[in-house]
Amino acid sequence: MSPIDALAELLGPRHCLRDAADTAPYAADWRGSYRGAPLAVLRPGTVAEVAAAVARCGAAGIAVVPAGGRTGLCGAAVVSPGGPAAVVLSLERLNRIRDIDARDFSLVAEAGCVVQRVQEAAAEAGRFFPIAWGAQGSAQIGGMLSTNAGGIRTIRWGNARDLVLGLEVVLPDGRVLNDLRRVRKDNSGYALRHLFLGAEGTLGVITAAALRLVPALKRVETAFVAVPSPDAALTLLSRVMGSGAEVIAFELVQRICLEMVAEHGPHLRLPLPLDSPWYVMVELAAAHPDVPVRAMLEASLAEALEAGECTDAVLAGNEAQRTAFWRIREDYPEFARMAGPAISTDTAVPVSAVPEFLARVEQVLAERWPEGRMVAIGHAGDGNIHVGLRAPPGVTREDWMTRAGAADMAVNEIAVALGGSFSAEHGIGVSKLHVMQALKDPLAIEVMRGIKRLLDPRGVMNPGKVLPAN
Amino acid sequence: MSPIDALAELLGPRHCLRDAADTAPYAADWRGSYRGAPLAVLRPGTVAEVAAAVARCGAAGIAVVPAGGRTGLCGAAVVSPGGPAAVVLSLERLNRIRDIDARDFSLVAEAGCVVQRVQEAAAEAGRFFPIAWGAQGSAQIGGMLSTNAGGIRTIRWGNARDLVLGLEVVLPDGRVLNDLRRVRKDNSGYALRHLFLGAEGTLGVITAAALRLVPALKRVETAFVAVPSPDAALTLLSRVMGSGAEVIAFELVQRICLEMVAEHGPHLRLPLPLDSPWYVMVELAAAHPDVPVRAMLEASLAEALEAGECTDAVLAGNEAQRTAFWRIREDYPEFARMAGPAISTDTAVPVSAVPEFLARVEQVLAERWPEGRMVAIGHAGDGNIHVGLRAPPGVTREDWMTRAGAADMAVNEIAVALGGSFSAEHGIGVSKLHVMQALKDPLAIEVMRGIKRLLDPRGVMNPGKVLPAN
C-alpha cells in the first residue's frame, strides 16, 4: 500500500483528497500569489488523526504543509514548488469551540475555527476577542497563531501571541504536546508555546489553543484626522496616549491612498477633503459605559488643533459612520491592487522612529526609482507602516518587479537600521527568505536552525519556509 | 595561571571576589534559605566582560550562576552544594538605564538595575512600569526577567515576559544574541527571547532588556471587602471585571492571615472587623483623570452587597489609607514568618476554578494533617493562590517539614488536576525540581532538555536548576 493509500485508509477517502479538482483550492493561497501542487490534501477530524497523519508522513518521507484559511501573505501554507513531495494538512475540520468560560475570560478553540467565529462566540458570552484584521472572515485560529497575526488592535491588546494562555501542538514526530491550560501564570520551565506561535508550521501543528478574552467594549469613538506630517501624527499619538485614554487603533494614511479609494471606490464617502498630505484614524474605547470617551477624544483633538498637530478632524457620529470610516481602511488593499502593480513591504520601527523612517524611505525611493510613487499606510501606533512603491501607468507587474524589485530591500534596510523589523506582522513564509538571509542576525538564524533540527530532525514540517537554506 | 586568576585579570581583582568575607553575601539568597559557596564572585562591568567571563568559565569547566538581587524564592541564584564548581556572576554593575523614550513608551535597562529604579525612571518620564512586588526595592531587572516575575499587577498588565520588547543575552558559549530592539511587532522567525525569559539563567545571561511602559495612572481606588466565601469573591471579581472597570489588583485573603497581622503588626490598623472568613482587596485605576473610578467601584460594591457577594466594604479615603491597606498585604509574608513554620506553595489554577481549588485543598489538608492550619492568600484575579500549612504551636521547622512536607505536593497535585500550575510565579530553581519531575509532562521536559543541550552543550549555565536530573 502506498503511503497516500495508507493515509486515505487512516482518514477515510473523503478526507484524503487526491483528484486535481479537489486539491486545486489547496494548491494556492487566497490571492493566488503562491502555487504548489500537493501529493494529497489531508483533512483530519481529530487531534489523534492529525498526530497519526504527521507520524506516517514523517516515516514515509513526505513533507507536511499545515494550512488554515490560506489568507497569509507570504506563501507559508502552500507547497513549495521544487521542494520535497508534500501533502497539505488542512485543519478545517477541527473547528469546534471546545469551551468558553465568561467568568474566566477564556475560550478554547480548535485550529480550524474561523477567527470571526471566535469573535462572535466571545461577543455572545459578553466578552471581546480583540484580534482583528481584514481576512478574519476566512482566516483560521491555527493560522492566526502560526503567523502571530497582528492587525489594527495590537496597539491595545498585542499580537495573537499575547492572547494565548495554552496550546496543543502535534510535534513533527506525531507526539502531542498538550499544554492547553487556561492558567494565567505558569513558571514551570521554559515557555515552549512561544516557539510554535509564529513558527508558520515549521516546528509542529497547532491543533487548539486556550485564548484570553477581555471585557466587552461599551464605548467606542473614532476620528478621521488630517495631519500635516508623520511627525505631527506621532505627536498626536503621544498626546492621546499620554492623556490616558484607551487607544485601540491608530492608523496613518498617506493622501495618495485616499485618492486611490476615491478613484476605485466611488461608493465610499471620504470624511475629509483631500487637501492634507497625511491622515490619521484614531479610535478610543472603554469597557465601562461611564467613561466619557467622546469628550476625551474631542478634548485631545481640540488641543492638537490648537498645537497645529492636526488641521481638521471629524468624529464618527454614529455606528454607521464609524463602520464607513473603517470600510475605507479595510477596503484599501483591494483598491490598491486595482490601481496597478506595486512593490509592498511590512516593516516596523520603534513608534517614535516612524517619522524618520518615512523621511528616509521617501528620499531613497525618490532617488533610486523616481518614476515610481511611494504609498504608505499602516498601524503607526505600533510603528508598523506598510510602504509600497507604485509603478507608473502602463508598466506591467513583471516589468515593475524587474525594475524596482530592490525597493523592498531598500525599505527593509532602513527599518533594520532604525532598530526595526523587516517582517512586522506577515511573517516569512517563502517570500521573505532572502530578507532573512540578508538582514537577520546570523547568530539568531543559527539558533533557530538548531531548534528546527531538535524538534524536526527529519525535516517533515513545512520545509523551505521561514529559515533560509543553509 | 589558574582560571580564577585569569578571570581576575579579565575583570580586575576588585571585581573577582575570592575572600570568604567578600563572597559570603553571594553564597546565600536574601532570606538565607539556600546556601552554596562559589569559587569566586564575578562582577563584570560591561556586556563584553560578561561574554568573556562566560566563555572562559565554559572553557575551564567552571559553572556560572547568574545573580541579581538574590530575592528569588527557589534558590536559582545560589550555587548548588554538591554540584559542579561554580562562580556567581553578579550583574550588579550593569545598572544603567541606557535609554528612556516617553513618546515611544519604552525604556532600555541593564540587568543590574533595581526594579524600583526602573519604576521611578518611568514615573519621572510621566509613564508607568507596572511590574510590582514586595522585593522590588532589591530585585534586579535581570532576575525579574529570568524568573518571569508576577506580583500584584499581572491581572492588568501580565507577567514580566509580557512587558519585554527586546532582549540582549550572552549565550553559554560567550556569544551575544543582540535583539535589544524597541519594536512592537516582529515576525521574523522564532521568538527566541521567550526561551530566556523565565529560564532562570540556565540558557544564558540576560544583560539588558527593552521594556514596555504604559501611561501613568491618574486615578486609583482601593477597597477592602469582606466576602463570605471564595466563590463569592470570584463572583465579585467577575462583576467588577464585567463592569468594564480597569481592575489592577484583586487579592484574596483568608481571615487567619489578618489575625496574624493583628498579632504581629499591632501598628497596622485593620480596615474591617475580623468577623468574616475571607477578605478581598480590589483596586481599580484609570490613566485618564476623567474616568469616574471611585463611582464605578462604589457602584459595583453596592451591587455586590445587594447580591450577598460581600458583607462589608471600605474604600481607602485618601492615598495614606490606600498605602496602609497595601502595607497589610505587603508585610504579611514577614508576619507569617514570625508566626512560626509553615509549608508554602505557589500554585495557579484557571481563575474560575479558584473556589473548587480552595475547597479541595481545605479538605485534603484537614484530612491528612488535622494538626496543621491552612492559610491562603494570593492573587485571585490571576488564579494564583499561595496556600500554606502552619505548624501547631511549639513544633519546630524541621519537625514540621518531616511531618507535613508532603502537603506541598498534595496542593500541587490538586492545582494540576484542575488544569493549573505548580509554579505560578516563583519558578523552579532547586526547590521545585522534585515537583517538575513528578508533575510536569515528560514530553515537555524532554523538549526542554533538548533546548538546554542545544544552547548549552557543556552545561555551563546554572547547572542543576529548573530541569530535574535525567
Side-chain angles (χ1 to χ4, degrees):
Chain A
M1 189 156 54
S2 81
I4 300 294
D5 286 339
L7 288 163
E9 194 174 271
L10 172 73
L11 303 173
R14 283 178 49 226
H15 300 303
C16 178
L17 311 177
R18 288 187 267 189
D19 288 353
D22 294 334
T23 63
Y26 301 87
D29 70 318
W30 204 37
R31 296 182 306 168
S33 301
Y34 303 92
R35 295 185 180 279
L39 288 178
V41 174
L42 312 184
R43 299 193 303 189
T46 65
V47 176
E49 285 186 358
V50 174
V54 168
R56 289 193 194 189
C57 288
I62 296 171
V64 176
V65 178
R70 297 188 306 284
T71 61
L73 299 173
C74 297
V78 177
V79 172
S80 295
V87 294
V88 164
L89 180 80
S90 170
L91 280 301
E92 68 199 274
R93 290 178 62 223
L94 273 75
N95 61 0
R96 280 188 315 138
I97 291 180
R98 290 193 198 162
D99 184 41
I100 181 161
D101 184 340
R103 181 154 142 166
D104 198 48
F105 286 80
S106 71
L107 175 154
V108 178
E110 292 183 339
C113 284
V114 169
V115 173
Q116 195 171 310
R117 188 81 178 77
V118 169
Q119 295 166 343
E120 288 162 1
E124 283 159 24
R127 302 294 181 241
F128 182 55
F129 180 69
I131 303 279
W133 78 103
Q136 65 199 23
S138 304
Q140 296 172 10
I141 290 296
M144 177 192 84
L145 297 174
S146 293
T147 56
N148 184 30
I152 56 169
R153 299 269 177 261
T154 57
I155 187 172
R156 172 62 182 86
W157 289 284
N159 286 57
R161 172 188 309 285
D162 301 305
L163 290 158
V164 176
L165 297 171
L167 216 55
E168 180 187 76
V169 182
V170 171
L171 295 183
D173 62 9
R175 291 188 291 178
V176 181
L177 191 64
N178 186 347
D179 194 30
L180 201 55
R181 292 176 300 163
R182 296 184 288 120
V183 68
R184 276 152 206 275
K185 278 174 153 179
D186 179 29
N187 280 342
S188 61
Y190 308 151
L192 298 180
R193 73 163 175 272
H194 286 287
L195 285 178
F196 304 100
L197 297 165
E200 305 183 27
T202 60
L203 298 177
V205 184
I206 294 174
T207 50
L211 300 170
R212 198 156 68 82
L213 304 178
V214 301
L217 299 180
K218 308 276 178 33
R219 294 273 177 269
V220 183
E221 298 288 347
T222 312
F224 214 101
V225 185
V227 295
S229 66
D231 194 63
L234 268 287
T235 305
L236 173 62
L237 171 66
S238 189
R239 178 185 296 282
V240 183
M241 291 280 291
S243 81
E246 192 174 340
V247 182
I248 68 166
F250 194 92
E251 301 283 312
L252 179 65
V253 183
Q254 202 183 6
R255 179 173 56 204
I256 183 176
C257 302
L258 296 183
E259 289 167 352
M260 285 152 76
V261 170
E263 188 183 341
H264 298 279
H267 56 291
L268 297 179
R269 207 177 65 78
L270 293 177
L272 289 176
L274 293 185
D275 54 6
S276 175
W278 294 90
Y279 296 83
V280 155
M281 286 182 70
V282 55
E283 190 160 87
L284 304 191
H288 197 292
D290 294 349
V291 178
V293 176
R294 193 169 180 94
M296 286 154 61
L297 183 53
E298 284 169 346
S300 284
L301 290 173
E303 289 168 18
L305 273 163
E306 184 86 9
E309 290 152 21
C310 69
T311 53
D312 201 356
V314 54
L315 270 71
N318 52 45
E319 191 57 23
Q321 266 184 37
R322 199 174 78 80
T323 308
F325 282 13
W326 279 111
R327 269 294 288 287
I328 295 167
R329 175 66 186 92
E330 281 160 11
D331 288 356
Y332 164 76
E334 196 185 322
F335 300 138
R337 271 192 292 275
M338 289 160 69
I343 311 294
S344 61
T345 65
D346 170 36
T347 58
V349 293
V351 177
S352 58
V354 165
E356 186 176 353
F357 167 75
L358 283 169
R360 286 205 211 173
V361 165
E362 187 173 19
Q363 192 186 348
V364 167
L365 295 183
E367 275 170 20
R368 293 183 57 187
W369 295 278
E371 74 276 29
R373 185 136 180 223
M374 171 174 147
V375 289
I377 188 166
H379 320 301
D382 311 309
N384 174 201
I385 308 292
H386 299 289
V387 170
L389 186 64
R390 290 191 60 204
V395 174
T396 67
R397 180 159 176 79
E398 279 79 50
D399 270 3
W400 190 235
M401 287 305 297
T402 310
R403 280 159 62 179
D408 169 31
M409 196 62 92
V411 172
N412 290 330
E413 280 169 357
I414 293 167
V416 170
L418 289 168
S421 169
F422 53 82
S423 177
E425 56 178 7
H426 297 168
I428 301 299
V430 292
S431 68
K432 297 221 168 163
L433 288 171
H434 65 292
V435 195
M436 277 289 272
Q437 185 72 64
L439 298 182
K440 189 79 185 176
D441 177 4
L443 180 53
I445 292 184
E446 182 185 322
V447 174
M448 290 179 198
R449 283 188 178 132
I451 289 167
K452 171 73 174 171
R453 275 193 308 272
L454 172 72
L455 288 172
D456 187 16
R458 295 189 291 203
V460 176
M461 291 307 310
N462 216 1
K465 311 290 168 61
V466 180
L467 296 174
N470 259 322
Chain B
M1 187 156 52
S2 82
I4 301 294
D5 287 340
L7 288 163
E9 193 175 274
L10 172 72
L11 304 172
R14 283 178 50 226
H15 300 303
C16 177
L17 311 178
R18 289 187 267 190
D19 289 354
D22 295 333
T23 63
Y26 301 87
D29 70 319
W30 203 37
R31 296 182 305 167
S33 303
Y34 304 92
R35 294 184 181 282
L39 288 179
V41 174
L42 313 183
R43 299 194 301 189
T46 64
V47 176
E49 285 185 359
V50 174
V54 168
R56 288 191 194 189
C57 288
I62 296 170
V64 176
V65 178
R70 297 186 306 284
T71 61
L73 299 173
C74 298
V78 177
V79 172
S80 295
V87 294
V88 164
L89 180 79
S90 170
L91 280 301
E92 67 200 273
R93 290 177 62 223
L94 271 76
N95 61 0
R96 281 189 312 138
I97 292 180
R98 290 194 198 160
D99 183 42
I100 180 160
D101 184 341
R103 182 154 140 164
D104 197 47
F105 287 79
S106 72
L107 175 155
V108 177
E110 291 182 340
C113 284
V114 169
V115 173
Q116 194 171 310
R117 181 85 178 77
V118 169
Q119 294 166 344
E120 289 162 1
E124 283 159 25
R127 302 292 181 244
F128 182 56
F129 179 68
I131 302 279
W133 77 103
Q136 66 199 21
S138 304
Q140 296 172 9
I141 290 297
M144 176 191 85
L145 297 175
S146 293
T147 57
N148 185 31
I152 57 169
R153 298 268 177 260
T154 57
I155 188 173
R156 173 60 183 87
W157 290 283
N159 286 57
R161 173 189 306 287
D162 301 305
L163 290 158
V164 176
L165 297 171
L167 217 56
E168 180 187 76
V169 182
V170 171
L171 296 182
D173 62 9
R175 290 187 291 177
V176 181
L177 191 63
N178 184 347
D179 193 31
L180 202 55
R181 293 175 298 162
R182 297 184 286 121
V183 68
R184 276 152 206 274
K185 279 174 151 178
D186 178 30
N187 280 342
S188 61
Y190 309 152
L192 298 180
R193 74 163 172 270
H194 285 287
L195 285 178
F196 304 100
L197 296 165
E200 303 183 27
T202 60
L203 298 178
V205 184
I206 294 174
T207 50
L211 300 168
R212 199 156 69 80
L213 304 178
V214 302
L217 299 181
K218 309 277 177 34
R219 293 274 177 267
V220 182
E221 297 288 346
T222 313
F224 215 101
V225 185
V227 295
S229 66
D231 194 64
L234 268 287
T235 305
L236 173 62
L237 170 66
S238 190
R239 179 185 295 283
V240 183
M241 290 281 290
S243 80
E246 193 173 339
V247 182
I248 69 166
F250 193 91
E251 300 284 311
L252 179 65
V253 183
Q254 203 182 3
R255 179 173 55 203
I256 184 176
C257 303
L258 297 184
E259 288 167 352
M260 285 151 75
V261 171
E263 188 182 342
H264 298 278
H267 56 291
L268 297 180
R269 205 179 65 79
L270 293 176
L272 289 175
L274 291 185
D275 55 4
S276 175
W278 294 90
Y279 296 83
V280 156
M281 287 183 68
V282 54
E283 189 160 88
L284 304 190
H288 197 291
D290 294 349
V291 178
V293 175
R294 193 168 180 94
M296 286 154 62
L297 182 53
E298 284 169 344
S300 284
L301 290 173
E303 290 167 16
L305 273 163
E306 182 86 10
E309 290 151 23
C310 70
T311 53
D312 201 356
V314 54
L315 270 71
N318 52 46
E319 190 58 24
Q321 267 184 36
R322 199 175 79 81
T323 306
F325 282 12
W326 280 110
R327 268 297 287 287
I328 296 168
R329 175 66 186 94
E330 279 159 12
D331 288 356
Y332 164 76
E334 197 184 322
F335 301 137
R337 271 191 294 275
M338 291 160 69
I343 312 295
S344 61
T345 65
D346 170 37
T347 58
V349 293
V351 177
S352 58
V354 165
E356 185 176 353
F357 167 75
L358 283 169
R360 286 204 210 176
V361 165
E362 188 173 18
Q363 193 186 346
V364 167
L365 295 183
E367 275 170 19
R368 294 184 56 186
W369 296 278
E371 74 277 29
R373 184 133 181 228
M374 172 175 147
V375 288
I377 190 167
H379 321 299
D382 313 308
N384 176 200
I385 308 292
H386 299 289
V387 170
L389 185 65
R390 291 191 59 204
V395 175
T396 66
R397 179 160 176 80
E398 279 78 47
D399 272 1
W400 191 234
M401 287 305 297
T402 310
R403 280 158 62 180
D408 169 30
M409 196 61 92
V411 173
N412 290 330
E413 281 169 356
I414 293 167
V416 170
L418 289 169
S421 169
F422 52 82
S423 178
E425 57 179 5
H426 297 168
I428 302 299
V430 294
S431 68
K432 297 224 167 165
L433 288 171
H434 64 294
V435 196
M436 277 290 272
Q437 185 73 62
L439 298 181
K440 189 79 184 177
D441 177 4
L443 180 54
I445 293 185
E446 181 185 322
V447 174
M448 290 178 197
R449 283 188 176 130
I451 289 167
K452 171 73 176 170
R453 276 194 306 274
L454 173 72
L455 288 173
D456 186 17
R458 295 189 291 203
V460 177
M461 290 306 311
N462 216 0
K465 312 288 169 62
V466 180
L467 296 174
N470 259 324

